[in-house]
């Protein structure tokens, strides 16, 4: 019913950049919270950035100043611009959408219940 399809992951050297994209179907970005999460091997999934329908954004302290979340409502697409990448950023990155009915993972005032398949980001030193 709701599908989130991510792209843009890859392998880069430290200091490089990547831009992740997430295209939604069966869901309207303009109406709900959207976010990016990541999960490194052996660690729990953590929120990276989120954006609300009014365009307000929030970021994890570890990525502030380096990552930028944005969306194109007309294209139903969410983006994460990642600059000055560090090896510590290596993780599987997931696009997530708010689910106000079924619940899920809480992050910055929103509950995320819809998830993309994940796209791997690997940063080498």
């Amino acid at each position: 019913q709701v599908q989130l399809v991510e792209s843009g992951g890859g392998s880069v050297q430290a200091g490089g950049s990547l831009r992740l994209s997430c295209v939604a179907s069966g869901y309207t970005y303009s109406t709900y919270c959207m976010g990016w999460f990541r999960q490194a091997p052996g660690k729990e999934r953590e929120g990276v950035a989120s954006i609300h329908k009014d365009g307000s954004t929030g970021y994890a302290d570890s990525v502030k100043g380096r990552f930028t979340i944005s969306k194109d409502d007309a294209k139903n697409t969410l983006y994460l611009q990642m600059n000055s990448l560090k090896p510590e950023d290596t993780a599987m990155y997931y696009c997530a959408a708010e689910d106000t009915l079924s619940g899920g993972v809480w992050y910055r005032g929103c509950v995320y219940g819809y998830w993309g398949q994940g796209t791997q980001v690997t940063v080498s030193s």
Side-chain angles (χ1 to χ4, degrees), residues 77-96:
T77 302
L78 182 73
Y79 304 97
L80 184 67
Q81 179 66 46
M82 304 184 293
N83 298 326
S84 302
L85 284 163
K86 305 175 181 179
E88 304 91 88
D89 296 318
T90 296
M92 185 73 74
Y93 283 71
Y94 298 90
C95 172

PDB file of all heavy atoms in Angstrom, residues 77-96:
ATOM      1  N   THR A  77       9.171  13.087  -3.348  1.00  0.00           N
ATOM      2  CA  THR A  77      10.526  12.595  -3.182  1.00  0.00           C
ATOM      3  C   THR A  77      11.212  13.275  -2.007  1.00  0.00           C
ATOM      4  O   THR A  77      11.141  14.496  -1.855  1.00  0.00           O
ATOM      5  CB  THR A  77      11.349  12.821  -4.456  1.00  0.00           C
ATOM      6  OG1 THR A  77      10.713  12.155  -5.556  1.00  0.00           O
ATOM      7  CG2 THR A  77      12.748  12.269  -4.291  1.00  0.00           C
ATOM      8  N   LEU A  78      11.869  12.485  -1.208  1.00  0.00           N
ATOM      9  CA  LEU A  78      12.635  12.946  -0.068  1.00  0.00           C
ATOM     10  C   LEU A  78      14.120  12.813  -0.390  1.00  0.00           C
ATOM     11  O   LEU A  78      14.532  11.841  -1.027  1.00  0.00           O
ATOM     12  CB  LEU A  78      12.296  12.114   1.161  1.00  0.00           C
ATOM     13  CG  LEU A  78      12.969  12.477   2.483  1.00  0.00           C
ATOM     14  CD1 LEU A  78      12.382  13.771   3.037  1.00  0.00           C
ATOM     15  CD2 LEU A  78      12.795  11.340   3.487  1.00  0.00           C
ATOM     16  N   TYR A  79      14.915  13.762   0.072  1.00  0.00           N
ATOM     17  CA  TYR A  79      16.343  13.756  -0.205  1.00  0.00           C
ATOM     18  C   TYR A  79      17.153  13.885   1.084  1.00  0.00           C
ATOM     19  O   TYR A  79      16.706  14.454   2.073  1.00  0.00           O
ATOM     20  CB  TYR A  79      16.734  14.912  -1.124  1.00  0.00           C
ATOM     21  CG  TYR A  79      15.991  14.955  -2.426  1.00  0.00           C
ATOM     22  CD1 TYR A  79      14.883  15.781  -2.589  1.00  0.00           C
ATOM     23  CD2 TYR A  79      16.399  14.174  -3.505  1.00  0.00           C
ATOM     24  CE1 TYR A  79      14.200  15.827  -3.789  1.00  0.00           C
ATOM     25  CE2 TYR A  79      15.722  14.215  -4.708  1.00  0.00           C
ATOM     26  CZ  TYR A  79      14.626  15.042  -4.847  1.00  0.00           C
ATOM     27  OH  TYR A  79      13.952  15.087  -6.043  1.00  0.00           O
ATOM     28  N   LEU A  80      18.349  13.373   1.026  1.00  0.00           N
ATOM     29  CA  LEU A  80      19.318  13.608   2.076  1.00  0.00           C
ATOM     30  C   LEU A  80      20.655  13.893   1.414  1.00  0.00           C
ATOM     31  O   LEU A  80      21.280  12.996   0.856  1.00  0.00           O
ATOM     32  CB  LEU A  80      19.443  12.412   3.020  1.00  0.00           C
ATOM     33  CG  LEU A  80      20.373  12.623   4.211  1.00  0.00           C
ATOM     34  CD1 LEU A  80      19.786  13.670   5.162  1.00  0.00           C
ATOM     35  CD2 LEU A  80      20.625  11.313   4.958  1.00  0.00           C
ATOM     36  N   GLN A  81      21.054  15.148   1.463  1.00  0.00           N
ATOM     37  CA  GLN A  81      22.357  15.538   0.952  1.00  0.00           C
ATOM     38  C   GLN A  81      23.377  15.354   2.055  1.00  0.00           C
ATOM     39  O   GLN A  81      23.248  15.952   3.126  1.00  0.00           O
ATOM     40  CB  GLN A  81      22.337  16.997   0.486  1.00  0.00           C
ATOM     41  CG  GLN A  81      23.672  17.496  -0.045  1.00  0.00           C
ATOM     42  CD  GLN A  81      24.087  16.810  -1.316  1.00  0.00           C
ATOM     43  OE1 GLN A  81      23.288  16.665  -2.231  1.00  0.00           O
ATOM     44  NE2 GLN A  81      25.339  16.364  -1.373  1.00  0.00           N
ATOM     45  N   MET A  82      24.374  14.548   1.800  1.00  0.00           N
ATOM     46  CA  MET A  82      25.384  14.228   2.795  1.00  0.00           C
ATOM     47  C   MET A  82      26.738  14.726   2.308  1.00  0.00           C
ATOM     48  O   MET A  82      27.253  14.251   1.299  1.00  0.00           O
ATOM     49  CB  MET A  82      25.431  12.725   3.056  1.00  0.00           C
ATOM     50  CG  MET A  82      24.091  12.134   3.481  1.00  0.00           C
ATOM     51  SD  MET A  82      24.206  10.370   3.906  1.00  0.00           S
ATOM     52  CE  MET A  82      24.593   9.694   2.290  1.00  0.00           C
ATOM     53  N   ASN A  83      27.281  15.683   3.023  1.00  0.00           N
ATOM     54  CA  ASN A  83      28.577  16.252   2.696  1.00  0.00           C
ATOM     55  C   ASN A  83      29.571  15.952   3.804  1.00  0.00           C
ATOM     56  O   ASN A  83      29.201  15.611   4.925  1.00  0.00           O
ATOM     57  CB  ASN A  83      28.464  17.760   2.496  1.00  0.00           C
ATOM     58  CG  ASN A  83      27.560  18.146   1.356  1.00  0.00           C
ATOM     59  OD1 ASN A  83      27.472  17.451   0.347  1.00  0.00           O
ATOM     60  ND2 ASN A  83      26.877  19.282   1.502  1.00  0.00           N
ATOM     61  N   SER A  84      30.834  16.110   3.477  1.00  0.00           N
ATOM     62  CA  SER A  84      31.905  15.888   4.451  1.00  0.00           C
ATOM     63  C   SER A  84      31.734  14.567   5.177  1.00  0.00           C
ATOM     64  O   SER A  84      31.826  14.482   6.401  1.00  0.00           O
ATOM     65  CB  SER A  84      31.949  17.046   5.457  1.00  0.00           C
ATOM     66  OG  SER A  84      32.146  18.279   4.808  1.00  0.00           O
ATOM     67  N   LEU A  85      31.498  13.538   4.417  1.00  0.00           N
ATOM     68  CA  LEU A  85      31.229  12.234   5.002  1.00  0.00           C
ATOM     69  C   LEU A  85      32.422  11.693   5.772  1.00  0.00           C
ATOM     70  O   LEU A  85      33.576  11.900   5.388  1.00  0.00           O
ATOM     71  CB  LEU A  85      30.820  11.251   3.919  1.00  0.00           C
ATOM     72  CG  LEU A  85      29.381  11.423   3.414  1.00  0.00           C
ATOM     73  CD1 LEU A  85      29.191  10.716   2.081  1.00  0.00           C
ATOM     74  CD2 LEU A  85      28.397  10.883   4.446  1.00  0.00           C
ATOM     75  N   LYS A  86      32.112  11.009   6.846  1.00  0.00           N
ATOM     76  CA  LYS A  86      33.104  10.408   7.715  1.00  0.00           C
ATOM     77  C   LYS A  86      32.910   8.900   7.755  1.00  0.00           C
ATOM     78  O   LYS A  86      31.805   8.410   7.511  1.00  0.00           O
ATOM     79  CB  LYS A  86      32.976  10.962   9.139  1.00  0.00           C
ATOM     80  CG  LYS A  86      33.055  12.469   9.248  1.00  0.00           C
ATOM     81  CD  LYS A  86      32.801  12.918  10.677  1.00  0.00           C
ATOM     82  CE  LYS A  86      32.861  14.418  10.812  1.00  0.00           C
ATOM     83  NZ  LYS A  86      32.588  14.857  12.208  1.00  0.00           N
ATOM     84  N   PRO A  87      33.950   8.156   8.074  1.00  0.00           N
ATOM     85  CA  PRO A  87      33.786   6.709   8.212  1.00  0.00           C
ATOM     86  C   PRO A  87      32.685   6.328   9.192  1.00  0.00           C
ATOM     87  O   PRO A  87      32.023   5.303   9.006  1.00  0.00           O
ATOM     88  CB  PRO A  87      35.161   6.250   8.704  1.00  0.00           C
ATOM     89  CG  PRO A  87      36.101   7.248   8.126  1.00  0.00           C
ATOM     90  CD  PRO A  87      35.355   8.562   8.204  1.00  0.00           C
ATOM     91  N   GLU A  88      32.475   7.146  10.212  1.00  0.00           N
ATOM     92  CA  GLU A  88      31.433   6.883  11.191  1.00  0.00           C
ATOM     93  C   GLU A  88      30.028   6.971  10.609  1.00  0.00           C
ATOM     94  O   GLU A  88      29.064   6.526  11.236  1.00  0.00           O
ATOM     95  CB  GLU A  88      31.537   7.868  12.368  1.00  0.00           C
ATOM     96  CG  GLU A  88      32.889   7.877  13.048  1.00  0.00           C
ATOM     97  CD  GLU A  88      33.821   8.906  12.429  1.00  0.00           C
ATOM     98  OE1 GLU A  88      33.800  10.068  12.873  1.00  0.00           O
ATOM     99  OE2 GLU A  88      34.581   8.527  11.508  1.00  0.00           O
ATOM    100  N   ASP A  89      29.902   7.546   9.425  1.00  0.00           N
ATOM    101  CA  ASP A  89      28.609   7.630   8.765  1.00  0.00           C
ATOM    102  C   ASP A  89      28.242   6.340   8.040  1.00  0.00           C
ATOM    103  O   ASP A  89      27.126   6.220   7.525  1.00  0.00           O
ATOM    104  CB  ASP A  89      28.594   8.783   7.756  1.00  0.00           C
ATOM    105  CG  ASP A  89      28.758  10.135   8.420  1.00  0.00           C
ATOM    106  OD1 ASP A  89      28.137  10.361   9.483  1.00  0.00           O
ATOM    107  OD2 ASP A  89      29.501  10.971   7.873  1.00  0.00           O
ATOM    108  N   THR A  90      29.161   5.420   7.980  1.00  0.00           N
ATOM    109  CA  THR A  90      28.903   4.149   7.311  1.00  0.00           C
ATOM    110  C   THR A  90      27.746   3.427   7.979  1.00  0.00           C
ATOM    111  O   THR A  90      27.770   3.169   9.182  1.00  0.00           O
ATOM    112  CB  THR A  90      30.148   3.266   7.334  1.00  0.00           C
ATOM    113  OG1 THR A  90      31.194   3.890   6.578  1.00  0.00           O
ATOM    114  CG2 THR A  90      29.852   1.901   6.736  1.00  0.00           C
ATOM    115  N   ALA A  91      26.724   3.119   7.205  1.00  0.00           N
ATOM    116  CA  ALA A  91      25.529   2.481   7.739  1.00  0.00           C
ATOM    117  C   ALA A  91      24.561   2.204   6.602  1.00  0.00           C
ATOM    118  O   ALA A  91      24.741   2.673   5.476  1.00  0.00           O
ATOM    119  CB  ALA A  91      24.851   3.373   8.784  1.00  0.00           C
ATOM    120  N   MET A  92      23.545   1.443   6.924  1.00  0.00           N
ATOM    121  CA  MET A  92      22.413   1.311   6.032  1.00  0.00           C
ATOM    122  C   MET A  92      21.470   2.463   6.341  1.00  0.00           C
ATOM    123  O   MET A  92      21.091   2.666   7.497  1.00  0.00           O
ATOM    124  CB  MET A  92      21.716  -0.024   6.235  1.00  0.00           C
ATOM    125  CG  MET A  92      20.588  -0.294   5.257  1.00  0.00           C
ATOM    126  SD  MET A  92      21.181  -0.676   3.585  1.00  0.00           S
ATOM    127  CE  MET A  92      21.808  -2.334   3.833  1.00  0.00           C
ATOM    128  N   TYR A  93      21.107   3.205   5.324  1.00  0.00           N
ATOM    129  CA  TYR A  93      20.237   4.354   5.500  1.00  0.00           C
ATOM    130  C   TYR A  93      18.835   4.031   5.024  1.00  0.00           C
ATOM    131  O   TYR A  93      18.643   3.494   3.930  1.00  0.00           O
ATOM    132  CB  TYR A  93      20.782   5.560   4.737  1.00  0.00           C
ATOM    133  CG  TYR A  93      21.943   6.218   5.438  1.00  0.00           C
ATOM    134  CD1 TYR A  93      23.179   5.597   5.496  1.00  0.00           C
ATOM    135  CD2 TYR A  93      21.794   7.457   6.067  1.00  0.00           C
ATOM    136  CE1 TYR A  93      24.242   6.185   6.157  1.00  0.00           C
ATOM    137  CE2 TYR A  93      22.852   8.054   6.724  1.00  0.00           C
ATOM    138  CZ  TYR A  93      24.069   7.420   6.767  1.00  0.00           C
ATOM    139  OH  TYR A  93      25.126   8.011   7.421  1.00  0.00           O
ATOM    140  N   TYR A  94      17.866   4.385   5.845  1.00  0.00           N
ATOM    141  CA  TYR A  94      16.476   4.074   5.566  1.00  0.00           C
ATOM    142  C   TYR A  94      15.630   5.333   5.480  1.00  0.00           C
ATOM    143  O   TYR A  94      15.722   6.213   6.330  1.00  0.00           O
ATOM    144  CB  TYR A  94      15.885   3.183   6.656  1.00  0.00           C
ATOM    145  CG  TYR A  94      16.551   1.844   6.798  1.00  0.00           C
ATOM    146  CD1 TYR A  94      17.635   1.674   7.655  1.00  0.00           C
ATOM    147  CD2 TYR A  94      16.089   0.744   6.088  1.00  0.00           C
ATOM    148  CE1 TYR A  94      18.242   0.441   7.791  1.00  0.00           C
ATOM    149  CE2 TYR A  94      16.692  -0.490   6.225  1.00  0.00           C
ATOM    150  CZ  TYR A  94      17.765  -0.632   7.080  1.00  0.00           C
ATOM    151  OH  TYR A  94      18.365  -1.864   7.219  1.00  0.00           O
ATOM    152  N   CYS A  95      14.829   5.392   4.484  1.00  0.00           N
ATOM    153  CA  CYS A  95      13.801   6.405   4.376  1.00  0.00           C
ATOM    154  C   CYS A  95      12.607   5.952   5.203  1.00  0.00           C
ATOM    155  O   CYS A  95      12.268   4.764   5.214  1.00  0.00           O
ATOM    156  CB  CYS A  95      13.416   6.575   2.903  1.00  0.00           C
ATOM    157  SG  CYS A  95      11.998   7.633   2.583  1.00  0.00           S
ATOM    158  N   ALA A  96      11.965   6.878   5.891  1.00  0.00           N
ATOM    159  CA  ALA A  96      10.834   6.530   6.735  1.00  0.00           C
ATOM    160  C   ALA A  96       9.737   7.575   6.627  1.00  0.00           C
ATOM    161  O   ALA A  96      10.005   8.761   6.433  1.00  0.00           O
ATOM    162  CB  ALA A  96      11.274   6.394   8.190  1.00  0.00           C
TER     163      ALA A  96
END
